[in-house]
């Protein structure tokens, strides 16, 4: 445990506070497994991070100014998350704190930097503190070589690792504007959130680069990339620059890969959902990212994403990360328990763009691939719920359920309320919570307003209860009666599901069903009789891909 005090005596916090800061629970080193709550009485409005990076040492020197607003009386402490120095030497050492232009009392223990404010503010009043510190980040900021053996500096803050190198209230719901003022060797270029406002060469072959992000975002979306980049300006979307940042040695291939479909995707989501919230969009390659990371305005992709061939897999990752600029970034889940509002949305809206740009077949292919992953995952995790309840282990924040099943929930909701009401509800939800946070209940209210329906049973069944539907059944044809009989049982171990299910009857070699009937599944077993005009060649469940389930379903054997 590292403990730092100024010379002034420290008075126990409980004697000083009429409104205590939020609960902070000790976490495992370097990244944490415990979720904290925002600090009551304090609303962080903006951060200014001033950092110096060097080539001769894997340490940073930082100065962070935190601007905040009081939301309650009697608050005299500002608690900030900041990983302290560990026995291995990694972590941050606080060298001083100033408030109101003077040195301030503080303590730094259990990875919490608590600053004693010079006065208790009143609700609505604003104040700031400035923290000076230095150290070698154990996580959050990767300092090391890229795939070409070149030194780089790249952030990777998800889900709560900003605290390893930035003093913040490191909670998903504590959104704030940010500035990064990076002083680094002049042979690097620096990219960050927002728009660049200064690039100045300094003495000693150093350069200062200043980026400013005006819209509030969560700490895990703060981003810095420092490398030898090749930078392409693709043009503008609604007056905002659209850029590509790739390693200099990947210039040609990277510019080719990221040229499409970025502008088309921005236009589609802007039209379908609502206005793009930010000042730029940049696609950036990074050695700190395994797949894609949706940092606001500065999207990070694996350094291996650049191939020069525009593979479909990476095309879809780009669409997904751009979708996050609306869902997850501009509208952020208020707790990690509701992370599906980010990942399920980005997954489904990737599919919606694919439907728009590449056709219904591509859309259905994506849906069926997602369903296969969900069904395989639920075979191993039968009780998993999409909406968590007081999630504590950060290693379980996301899963196939939050991505692919979350996407399917939105797809089934679209079928439930209809296309027009679905889009109307999405637009209401986005406009209402733009640059703020939202919960699953907030989404439900917007959809109920748009559709006029009671959606509580739907949301409870698909999001708050465990399990996934699994059907077993068969079909047979009665030539004398001119009917098809479908026998169906629910065989999952987690309780019954109530859901509409379409049954398609095919004749000959037709690709499309000759008829589709909708039945209501609401019991352990059912027998449905469907009149038909001709002998069927096949009967299929959910022929148009509107329902999520696993099934073993085949033609019944005839005769003894």
């Amino acid at each position: 445990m590292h403990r730092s005090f100024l010379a002034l005596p420290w008075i126990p916090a409980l004697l000083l506070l009429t409104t205590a800061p939020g609960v902070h629970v000790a976490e495992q080193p370097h990244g944490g497994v415990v979720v904290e709550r925002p600090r009551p009485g304090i609303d962080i409005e903006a951060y200014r991070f001033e950092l110096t990076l060097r080539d001769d040492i894997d340490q940073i020197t930082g100065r962070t100014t935190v601007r905040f607003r009081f939301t309650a009386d009697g608050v005299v402490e500002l608690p900030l998350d900041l990983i302290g120095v560990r026995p291995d030497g990694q972590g941050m050492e606080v060298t001083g704190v100033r408030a109101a232009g003077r040195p301030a009392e503080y303590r730094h223990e259990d990875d919490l930097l608590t600053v004693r404010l010079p006065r208790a503010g009143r609700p609505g009043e604003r104040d700031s503190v400035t923290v000076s510190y230095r150290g070698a980040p154990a996580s959050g900021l990767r300092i090391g070589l890229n795939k070409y053996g070149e030194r780089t500096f790249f952030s990777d803050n998800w889900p709560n690792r900003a605290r390893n190198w930035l003093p913040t209230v490191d909670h998903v719901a504590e959104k704030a504007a940010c500035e990064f003022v990076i002083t680094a060797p002049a042979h690097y270029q620096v990219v960050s959130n927002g728009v660049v406002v200064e690039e100045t060469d300094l003495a000693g072959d150093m350069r200062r680069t200043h980026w400013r992000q005006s819209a509030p975002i969560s700490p895990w979306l703060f981003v810095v990339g420092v490398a030898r980049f090749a930078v392409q300006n693709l043009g503008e979307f609604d007056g905002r620059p659209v850029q590509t940042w790739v390693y200099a040695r990947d210039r040609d291939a990277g510019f080719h890969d990221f040229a499409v479909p970025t502008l088309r995707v921005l236009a589609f989501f802007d039209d379908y959902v609502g206005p793009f919230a930010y000042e730029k969009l940049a696609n950036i390659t990074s050695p700190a990212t395994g797949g894609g990371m949706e940092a606001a305005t500065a999207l990070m992709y694996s350094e291996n994403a650049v191939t020069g061939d525009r593979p479909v897999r990476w095309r879809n990752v780009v669409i997904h990360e751009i979708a996050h600029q609306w869902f997850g970034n501009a509208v952020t889940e208020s707790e990690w328990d509701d992370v599906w509002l980010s990942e399920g949305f980005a997954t489904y809206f990737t599919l919606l763009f694919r439907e728009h740009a590449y056709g219904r077949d591509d859309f259905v292919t994506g849906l069926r691939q997602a369903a296969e992953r969900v069904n395989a995952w639920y075979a191993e995790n039968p009780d998993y719920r999409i909406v968590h309840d007081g999630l504590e282990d950060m290693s379980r924040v996301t899963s196939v359920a939050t991505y692919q099943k979350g996407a399917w929930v939105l797809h089934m909701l679209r079928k439930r309320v209809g296309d027009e009401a679905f889009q109307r509800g999405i637009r209401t939800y986005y406009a209402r919570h733009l640059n703020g946070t939202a919960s699953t209940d907030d989404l439900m209210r917007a959809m109920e307003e748009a559709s006029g329906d009671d959606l509580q049973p739907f949301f409870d069944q698909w999001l708050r209860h465990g399990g996934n539907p699994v059907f077993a059944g068969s079909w047979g044809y009665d030539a004398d009666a001119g009917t098809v009989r479908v026998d169906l049982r629910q065989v999952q171990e987690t309780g019954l599901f109530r859901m509409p299910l379409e049954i398609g009857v095919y004749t000959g070699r037709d690709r499309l069903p000759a008829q589709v009937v909708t039945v209501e599944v609401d019991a352990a077993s059912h027998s449905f009789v469907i009149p038909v005009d001709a002998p069927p060649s096949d009967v299929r469940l959910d022929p148009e891909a509107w329902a999520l389930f696993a099934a073993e379903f085949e033609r019944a054997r005839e005769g003894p």
Side-chain angles (χ1 to χ4, degrees):
M1 179 185 298
H2 178 71
R3 189 180 181 96
S4 264
F5 296 99
L6 289 178
L8 296 174
W10 182 261
I11 303 172
L14 290 178
L15 300 180
L16 292 171
L17 293 180
T18 58
T19 302
V23 175
H24 174 87
V25 183
E27 60 177 51
Q28 291 186 358
H30 312 323
V33 298
V34 179
V35 181
E36 299 88 355
R37 302 299 180 231
R39 317 296 192 232
I42 294 287
D43 176 34
I44 307 297
E45 293 191 324
Y47 298 98
R48 178 183 170 94
F49 303 111
E50 300 172 71
L51 300 168
T52 298
L53 312 176
R54 306 190 65 87
D55 279 339
D56 58 349
I57 191 170
D58 289 345
Q59 293 187 350
I60 66 174
T61 302
R63 182 172 64 184
T64 295
T65 299
V66 184
R67 298 197 298 273
F68 57 91
R69 179 174 58 89
F70 293 100
T71 61
D73 285 316
V75 177
V76 294
E77 289 182 349
L78 173 65
L80 299 169
D81 298 301
L82 185 65
I83 297 292
V85 178
R86 305 300 192 192
D88 63 4
Q90 293 183 316
M92 295 295 116
E93 175 192 5
V94 176
T95 57
V97 179
R98 298 183 69 85
R102 293 182 175 184
E105 298 177 65
Y106 66 92
R107 64 177 179 183
H108 189 198
E109 58 182 16
D110 295 332
D111 301 328
L112 190 69
L113 171 63
T114 305
V115 179
R116 175 81 160 96
L117 301 174
R119 65 181 180 84
R122 296 179 179 178
E125 290 184 340
R126 289 173 168 81
D127 210 336
S128 67
V129 301
T130 298
V131 179
S132 297
Y133 62 102
R134 62 192 174 200
S139 183
L141 180 67
R142 179 191 183 276
I143 303 173
L145 304 181
N146 67 10
K147 67 179 181 180
Y148 294 118
E150 299 170 340
R151 184 173 172 83
T152 62
F153 307 76
F154 278 90
S155 59
D156 183 16
N157 292 330
W158 191 91
N160 64 341
R161 289 185 288 183
R163 67 192 66 191
N164 283 275
W165 62 297
L166 302 172
T168 60
V169 176
D170 195 8
H171 187 277
V172 63
E174 191 60 75
K175 302 177 75 168
C178 67
E179 297 177 71
F180 279 93
V181 183
I182 306 295
T183 300
H187 54 264
Y188 296 120
Q189 292 121 303
V190 176
V191 65
S192 185
N193 308 99
V195 294
V196 66
V197 295
E198 179 191 2
E199 288 182 294
T200 302
D201 287 341
L202 307 174
D205 198 29
M206 301 290 281
R207 177 180 297 138
R208 178 191 297 119
T209 308
H210 181 184
W211 288 84
R212 179 183 296 131
Q213 164 76 24
S214 299
I217 56 176
S218 299
W220 65 276
L221 297 170
F222 298 163
V223 66
V224 167
V226 181
R228 290 184 61 248
F229 283 113
V231 183
Q232 182 185 41
N233 292 296
L234 287 174
E236 293 185 346
F237 174 75
D238 197 22
R240 274 73 63 87
V242 178
Q243 304 167 339
T244 298
W245 295 63
V246 295
Y247 302 152
R249 293 170 65 173
D250 285 336
R251 176 188 178 277
D252 293 342
F255 288 176
H256 175 77
D257 285 348
F258 286 113
V260 295
T262 300
L263 289 167
R264 288 185 68 191
V265 177
L266 285 167
F268 174 75
F269 292 140
D270 186 87
D271 178 67
Y272 190 101
V273 181
F276 179 56
Y278 301 123
E279 297 155 301
K280 81 158 188 307
L281 186 131
N283 291 315
I284 306 159
T285 52
S286 162
T289 304
M293 175 52 63
E294 64 270 20
T297 80
L299 288 66
M300 295 290 187
Y301 303 92
S302 166
E303 60 185 3
N304 297 315
V306 173
T307 67
D309 298 325
R310 292 181 181 166
V312 170
R313 172 178 179 260
W314 285 109
R315 178 204 74 184
N316 293 340
V317 173
V318 170
I319 300 167
H320 181 100
E321 304 311 331
I322 296 175
H324 270 307
Q325 304 304 296
W326 278 261
F327 302 110
N329 295 9
V331 177
T332 305
E333 55 270 33
S334 54
E335 296 286 351
W336 286 121
D337 292 337
D338 281 326
V339 70
W340 85 279
L341 294 173
S342 176
E343 298 301 351
F345 267 74
T347 303
Y348 188 59
F349 276 78
T350 298
L351 291 170
L352 284 182
F353 177 79
R354 289 170 60 180
E355 182 180 35
H356 164 77
Y358 312 122
R360 175 77 182 180
D361 287 348
D362 186 74
F363 173 68
V364 171
T365 296
L367 281 170
R368 296 207 184 280
Q369 289 172 343
E372 289 175 4
R373 294 193 62 185
V374 172
N375 293 331
W377 195 83
Y378 267 93
E380 301 295 327
N381 303 272
D383 298 323
Y384 191 91
R385 294 177 295 159
I386 290 181
V387 174
H388 309 294
D389 184 13
L391 180 71
E392 293 184 352
D393 185 351
M394 294 298 282
S395 69
R396 294 177 60 82
V397 169
T398 58
S399 67
V400 167
T402 52
Y403 282 79
Q404 280 78 24
K405 185 176 178 181
W408 261 97
V409 170
L410 289 173
H411 184 57
M412 292 186 291
L413 179 61
R414 175 185 168 192
K415 176 67 169 178
R416 170 76 170 73
V417 302
D419 284 351
E420 292 185 5
F422 180 79
Q423 184 180 6
R424 190 162 57 246
I426 290 294
R427 292 180 67 85
T428 297
Y429 169 75
Y430 181 74
R432 187 172 291 166
H433 303 287
L434 175 63
N435 290 328
T437 62
S439 68
T440 296
D441 282 341
D442 291 324
L443 173 66
M444 185 182 72
R445 281 189 286 269
M447 285 296 176
E448 287 182 333
E449 292 173 18
S451 65
D453 293 343
D454 175 12
L455 297 174
Q456 187 78 54
F458 177 93
F459 274 70
D460 285 347
Q461 172 175 273
W462 291 106
L463 296 167
R464 296 188 174 91
H465 290 171
N468 207 50
V470 181
F471 298 141
S474 62
W475 67 274
Y477 174 58
D478 185 336
D480 293 336
T483 59
V484 166
R485 176 188 172 98
V486 173
D487 294 313
L488 205 61
R489 293 178 293 119
Q490 294 194 51
V491 297
Q492 69 276 356
E493 300 176 358
T494 52
L496 298 179
F497 280 76
R498 181 187 181 102
M499 56 189 293
L501 180 66
E502 293 183 345
I503 299 174
V505 180
Y506 293 77
T507 57
R509 296 183 179 181
D510 291 345
R511 181 172 176 268
L512 298 177
Q515 65 185 100
V516 176
V517 299
T518 301
V519 299
E520 188 71 23
V521 176
D522 58 5
S525 62
H526 289 279
S527 292
F528 304 107
V529 177
I530 304 170
V532 295
D533 295 328
S537 57
D538 198 7
V539 175
R540 301 176 194 172
L541 304 179
D542 190 36
E544 297 180 354
W546 283 110
L548 177 64
F549 59 89
E552 292 185 4
F553 185 74
E554 58 187 2
R555 186 166 190 166
R557 296 177 60 184
E558 298 179 1

